[in-house]
Amino acid sequence: MLWNIDPFEPLVSQLTRSPAFLPAADLTVSDGDLVLTMDVPGLKHDDLSIELSDGYLTVRGERTAPQLGDSVNLAHRERAFGRFERRIKVPDGVDAGAVAASLDNGVLSLIVPKPDRMRPKTIAIRAGDGAESHQLEATATER
């Protein structure tokens, strides 16, 4: 049976939807690393490639549409398919060997450790008799 009218038309305007698949992504930043989380439902490890080059982390993949049998007609499609590429700029000095990737239940997670120069450093405060602070003040006023 073919539909003369799209039964889902009130829900989604076909004019505003992009036909290409572009996975939704989140990027979080902590003191020690960047974490990129991307929704890639239906994709397997073999469907994805990850590359770190020229300061960019690039995720590529393809989500293929299911093959319909000869006696099956598509009545409505909202799911997007096709090739995609997502790129994010990473800090200079990121070690490609330290980047970790995992795929779990259609969610790709990439953990990118920050270079040491970008990690916060704690500076210890030494206890003193006040002579050092007096010397610093004198040096600052001489300039």
Side-chain angles (χ1 to χ4, degrees):
M1 173 181 146
L2 291 175
W3 294 92
N4 291 334
I5 300 172
D6 186 348
F8 296 98
E9 187 63 32
L11 301 176
V12 177
S13 170
Q14 297 301 319
L15 298 175
T16 60
R17 285 195 57 86
S18 169
F21 175 59
L22 187 63
D26 293 334
L27 180 64
T28 59
V29 180
S30 70
D31 289 344
D33 54 33
L34 311 169
V35 178
L36 176 67
T37 308
M38 188 177 301
D39 291 342
V40 289
L43 273 63
K44 299 178 184 71
H45 295 86
D46 295 341
D47 299 325
L48 299 165
S49 70
I50 303 165
E51 180 180 284
L52 180 61
S53 178
D54 295 328
Y56 285 91
L57 182 65
T58 305
V59 179
R60 292 183 185 93
E62 182 173 7
R63 183 172 167 190
T64 56
Q67 297 296 318
L68 300 176
D70 292 336
S71 63
V72 176
N73 293 310
L74 183 65
H76 178 81
R77 173 172 284 160
E78 289 184 10
R79 297 181 304 150
F81 300 95
R83 293 180 185 195
F84 69 89
E85 179 177 299
R86 299 296 307 257
R87 291 172 31 124
I88 64 162
K89 179 81 173 134
V90 295
D92 291 335
V94 166
D95 178 12
V99 176
S102 65
L103 181 63
D104 187 35
N105 291 324
V107 178
L108 176 66
S109 297
L110 299 166
I111 300 172
V112 182
K114 286 182 179 177
D116 285 340
R117 66 178 173 76
M118 294 188 69
R119 294 178 189 232
K121 307 256 185 310
T122 302
I123 300 171
I125 301 171
R126 297 186 319 207
D129 60 3
E132 283 185 39
S133 65
H134 180 68
Q135 183 180 0
L136 290 174
E137 289 173 13
T139 304
T141 57
E142 290 174 6
R143 291 185 189 186

